[in-house]
Amino acid sequence: IDGISGAGLVNHCFLEWTDAAKWSATFPRIIMNPPFRKVRQHMDAALSMLCRGAHDRATLVALVPVTYQHPDAEELETLPSDTFAGAKVFTKVVRIEK
């Protein structure tokens, strides 16, 4: 993450790191591609770290399975069925704003 002051790389399980850091780290914008087997856990963890700060609204954008549902999720796009043909996964892009 060259050129971003104070940015660093964390090599740790996201769920464990989020649980330990959620009171000290918040983000106004999160873009993610969570592992589909634990999509709900990863999305909930990311949402727990989403904070407006100086921004009008906090935003999370994620690539998720088409089966993922959240009451605040706005579906931005359903990807074509052959996007991940080798994996046989059907996906969409969602946005959640706080």
Side-chain angles (χ1 to χ4, degrees):
I1 307 178
D2 196 16
I4 300 174
S5 178
L9 179 64
V10 176
N11 184 12
H12 202 285
C13 168
F14 177 71
L15 295 175
E16 291 174 12
W17 180 81
T18 303
D19 190 46
K22 68 181 160 187
W23 304 113
S24 62
T26 58
F27 304 94
R29 307 281 186 263
I30 298 173
I31 300 171
M32 65 187 302
N33 178 8
F36 290 177
R37 288 192 177 166
K38 294 186 177 185
V39 67
R40 180 147 314 278
Q41 293 163 303
H42 281 257
M43 291 292 286
D44 289 347
L47 286 168
S48 76
M49 300 190 82
L50 197 59
C51 178
R52 264 187 249 165
H55 298 271
D56 291 345
R57 61 180 79 95
T59 306
L60 181 148
V61 175
L63 175 68
V64 295
V66 294
T67 56
Y68 175 79
Q69 297 292 318
H70 186 280
D72 298 325
E74 171 189 2
E75 185 175 319
L76 300 178
E77 180 179 1
T78 299
L79 290 123
S81 60
D82 63 348
T83 302
F84 299 105
K88 297 180 182 162
V89 178
F90 301 102
T91 56
K92 63 184 177 182
V93 178
V94 298
R95 173 175 52 207
I96 300 174
E97 296 182 325
K98 281 186 167 186

